[in-house]
């Protein structure tokens, strides 16, 4: 059996990019379908980002999905960078009048799914064999299978929001697509534990044993990470080994007061920088991880997905409301200009804070000097703050 329907925008991927775009389009009366490879529960079980830039909070407000975010999100006016026992306080609001909000990607995605269900908009889950056709013509269409039924969706535009392993990007002909990539020789082992956070701000720690990050999801829910070799697996790390590694990597003041407990989630994320150019092909527009990946050190993945959604939503709005397609034509160029600045910052933060296996004594001295410079120099701190809270869209 094949079902056929027509929408204005077909969105591939029901992660935060796809859902946010769908919800924003709904506010201007543009109908969109979301096709998701997994189930809603599976998408909501992925523990990922935790720090939201103001631009993403504003988008959630515009989408009408920010009520719980405002109630439960925690505003942070600064962060701590440490090396050994030295702490560098980076007060964001001293340098740039914007805070960040700590609110889990899982919760943000849940709010978007709830709002989508409330509007009655269609989401197809468990989709397989997704193909995009006629994307350089006026009448593109998407085909897929879901729960034994074949679907054909005719549309004006396709938004490729299907993450790094999605199919959308592959529909840009290889000869016209350029991919830039750097794979780091380590990953982050992360745990979630029902314990009070060790500090009221995030701590990014450089230590002789490698990087560590102390983050949080709430007053009694902590998220911690330690750098591990790319070859390591989660089974090699019981909770005790994790807590000991974390203690060794953060300043003594925090190691002494750290409250430990059983982990309720534990996973390893590899670190990668990646950009696909262009981000647009005919009627196909890529958003978020489908087009670019950053290592999580600057908390930029979800936030950069959000800036793509901002550019694409504004361009689609101008197209549908004002019949002006100039911004759509410029989407790739506009989005990539910001993407590369975020890639630079995430790569810089990663290089500043991690131990690299090939690092020579000279490289270590340079890293130490970079940290001392940051500790002493207000302009260096301002630069970090401006990038961390989010470059303007
Ligand atoms: P997603 O979240 O990967 O969603 C893509 C969705 O598409 C579906 N899909 C398909 N659907 C249909 N057909 C197909 N063929 C499909 N193929 C895939 C997938 O099932 C999925 O549901 O991409 P999106 O929406 O672009 O969102 C990007 C963010 O998820 C990502 O950038 C962040 O999580 C990165 N990230 C962080 N970003 C931040 O801004 N701040 C942070 O603090 C932060 N911390 C992190 C992070 C990522 C991490 N990991 C695990 C990589 C911390 C970690 C540990
Ligand atoms: C998180 O809380 O998961 C988190 C916070 C900051 C980062 C990365 C991840 O840079």
């Amino acid at each position: 059996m094949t079902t056929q329907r027509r929408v204005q925008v077909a969105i591939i991927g029901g992660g935060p990019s796809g859902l946010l775009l769908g919800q924003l389009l709904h506010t201007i009366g543009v109908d969109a379908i979301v096709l998701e490879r997994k189930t809603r529960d599976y998408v909501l079980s992925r523990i990922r980002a935790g720090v939201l830039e103001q631009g993403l909070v504003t988008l959630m407000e515009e989408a009408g999905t920010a009520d719980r975010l405002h109630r439960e999100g925690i505003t942070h006016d600064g962060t701590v960078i440490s090396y050994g026992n030295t702490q560098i306080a980076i007060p964001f609001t001293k340098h740039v009048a914007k805070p960040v909000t700590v609110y889990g990607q899982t919760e943000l995605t849940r709010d978007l799914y709830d709002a989508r269900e409330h509007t009655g908009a269609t989401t197809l889950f468990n989709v397989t064999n997704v193909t995009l056709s006629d994307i350089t013509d006026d009448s593109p269409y998407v085909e897929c299978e879901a729960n034994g039924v074949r679907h054909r969706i005719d549309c004006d535009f396709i938004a490729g929001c299907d993450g790094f392993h999605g199919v959308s990007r592959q529909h840009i002909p290889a000869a016209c697509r350029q991919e830039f990539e750097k794979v780091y020789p380590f990953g982050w082992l992360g745990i979630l534990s029902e314990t009070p956070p060790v500090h009221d701000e995030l701590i990014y720690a450089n230590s002789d044993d490698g990087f560590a990050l102390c983050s949080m999801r709430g007053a009694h829910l902590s998220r911690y990470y330690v750098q591990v070799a790319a070859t390591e697996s989660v089974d090699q790390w019981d909770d005790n080994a994790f807590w000991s590694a974390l203690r060794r990597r953060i300043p003594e003041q925090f190691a002494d007061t750290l409250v430990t407990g059983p982990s309720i989630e534990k996973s390893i994320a590899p670190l990668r920088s990646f950009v696909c150019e262009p981000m647009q092909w005919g009627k196909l527009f890529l958003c978020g991880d489908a087009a670019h990946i950053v290592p999580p050190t600057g908390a930029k993945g979800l936030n950069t997905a959000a800036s793509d959604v901002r550019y694409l939503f504004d361009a689609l709005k101008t197209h549908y409301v004002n019949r002006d397609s100039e911004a759509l034509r410029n989407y790739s160029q506009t989005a990539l200009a910001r993407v590369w600045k975020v890639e630079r910052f995430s790569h810089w933060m990663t290089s500043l804070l991690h131990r690299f296996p090939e690092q020579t004594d000279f490289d270590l001295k340079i890293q130490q000097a970079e940290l001392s410079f940051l500790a002493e120099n207000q302009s260096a701190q301002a630069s970090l703050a401006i990038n961390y809270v989010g470059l303007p869209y």
Side-chain angles (χ1 to χ4, degrees):
M1 186 175 108
T2 303
T3 70
Q4 197 163 347
R5 71 181 92 201
R6 187 169 210 297
V7 295
Q8 287 165 295
V9 182
I11 300 175
I12 323 283
S17 315
L19 294 170
L20 182 57
L21 180 65
Q23 217 44 39
L24 288 163
L25 290 172
H26 175 76
T27 65
I28 57 163
V30 170
D31 63 325
I33 190 169
V34 170
L35 312 180
E36 168 54 49
R37 188 177 52 166
K38 302 284 189 182
T39 63
R40 176 189 153 126
D41 285 350
Y42 182 92
V43 174
L44 292 179
S45 70
R46 294 189 294 224
I47 311 284
R48 286 183 167 184
V51 177
L52 314 187
E53 294 175 4
Q54 192 54 44
L56 173 49
V57 174
T58 304
L59 279 171
M60 288 290 282
E61 286 165 354
E62 279 180 45
T65 49
D67 289 354
R68 194 161 69 98
L69 162 57
H70 284 313
R71 276 199 313 277
E72 296 176 17
I74 315 167
T75 301
H76 280 210
D77 292 327
T79 191
V80 176
I81 307 281
S82 73
Y83 54 115
N85 277 320
T86 306
Q87 293 173 41
I88 312 171
I90 310 283
F92 304 142
T93 36
K94 179 172 164 191
H95 301 291
V96 50
K98 281 193 286 186
V100 293
T101 303
V102 171
Y103 189 68
Q105 175 170 332
T106 310
E107 301 313 313
L108 178 139
T109 310
R110 188 189 306 282
D111 296 340
L112 289 165
Y113 266 123
D114 287 350
R116 185 163 182 84
E117 273 158 29
H118 190 70
T119 63
T122 308
T123 309
L124 299 181
F125 290 100
N126 296 315
V127 300
T128 54
N129 299 328
V130 177
T131 55
L132 284 50
S133 300
D134 293 353
I135 55 177
T136 51
D137 296 345
D138 283 339
S139 311
Y141 62 96
V142 179
E143 289 174 295
C144 67
E145 275 155 42
N147 305 316
V149 179
R150 182 105 201 121
H151 296 264
R152 171 176 165 140
I153 299 137
D154 293 277
C155 53
D156 299 334
F157 300 104
I158 302 168
C161 303
D162 48 352
F164 183 64
H165 300 289
V167 295
S168 300
R169 187 173 68 244
Q170 315 303 336
H171 285 77
I172 301 178
C176 307
R177 178 166 29 104
Q178 211 178 348
E179 298 187 342
F180 303 85
E181 182 171 47
K182 180 174 177 66
V183 177
Y184 299 85
F186 41 74
W188 281 16
L189 168 67
I191 68 158
L192 197 61
S193 78
E194 288 169 325
T195 51
V198 68
H199 187 47
D200 55 7
E201 287 182 349
L202 270 63
I203 304 167
Y204 288 86
N206 174 315
S207 84
D208 289 342
D209 286 337
F211 170 78
L213 169 62
C214 305
S215 182
M216 65 195 73
R217 290 292 180 273
H220 293 283
L221 196 54
S222 297
R223 181 80 171 147
Y224 295 109
Y225 298 94
V226 294
Q227 172 187 350
V228 295
T231 47
E232 286 184 77
S233 74
V234 173
D235 344 311
Q236 291 168 265
W237 287 86
D238 65 19
D239 288 357
N240 283 337
F242 181 89
W243 292 119
S244 315
L246 181 64
R247 265 208 196 88
R248 281 197 303 275
R249 296 176 191 206
I250 59 179
E252 269 167 28
Q253 174 200 340
F254 298 115
D256 292 347
T257 53
L258 179 72
V259 180
T260 63
S263 62
I264 55 173
E265 194 269 352
K266 197 187 278 165
S267 50
I268 294 185
L271 265 67
R272 181 193 302 270
S273 298
F274 173 86
V275 180
C276 164
E277 292 192 4
M279 287 174 59
Q280 168 188 7
W281 191 253
K283 300 294 167 70
L284 168 67
F285 297 83
L286 302 180
C287 273
D289 282 14
H292 42 76
I293 295 284
V294 286
T297 326
K300 290 287 163 246
L302 175 61
N303 290 305
T304 313
S307 61
D308 293 348
V309 169
R310 164 96 275 161
Y311 294 132
L312 184 56
F313 170 63
D314 287 349
L316 287 168
K317 188 173 168 184
T318 313
H319 168 85
Y320 282 117
V321 177
N322 305 337
R323 312 219 161 274
D324 175 354
S325 303
E326 177 74 8
L328 270 180
R329 279 193 293 276
N330 292 335
Y331 169 74
S332 180
Q333 203 186 338
T334 311
L336 281 167
R338 189 175 187 278
V339 162
W340 275 112
K341 293 185 195 106
V342 176
E343 291 283 344
R344 180 206 72 83
F345 175 66
S346 303
H347 176 261
W348 175 77
M349 278 275 276
T350 304
S351 309
L352 180 73
L353 295 170
H354 290 75
R355 286 301 147 103
F356 289 70
E358 72 275 16
Q359 230 163 3
T360 62
D361 287 347
F362 177 84
D363 297 332
L364 274 172
K365 285 282 187 191
I366 293 292
Q367 198 186 56
Q368 289 292 318
E370 182 95 33
L371 284 158
S372 306
F373 181 68
L374 180 66
E376 291 155 10
N377 190 285
Q378 290 296 311
S379 303
Q381 291 184 17
S383 169
L384 195 157
I386 289 164
N387 283 278
Y388 193 88
V389 302
L391 296 173
Y393 302 171

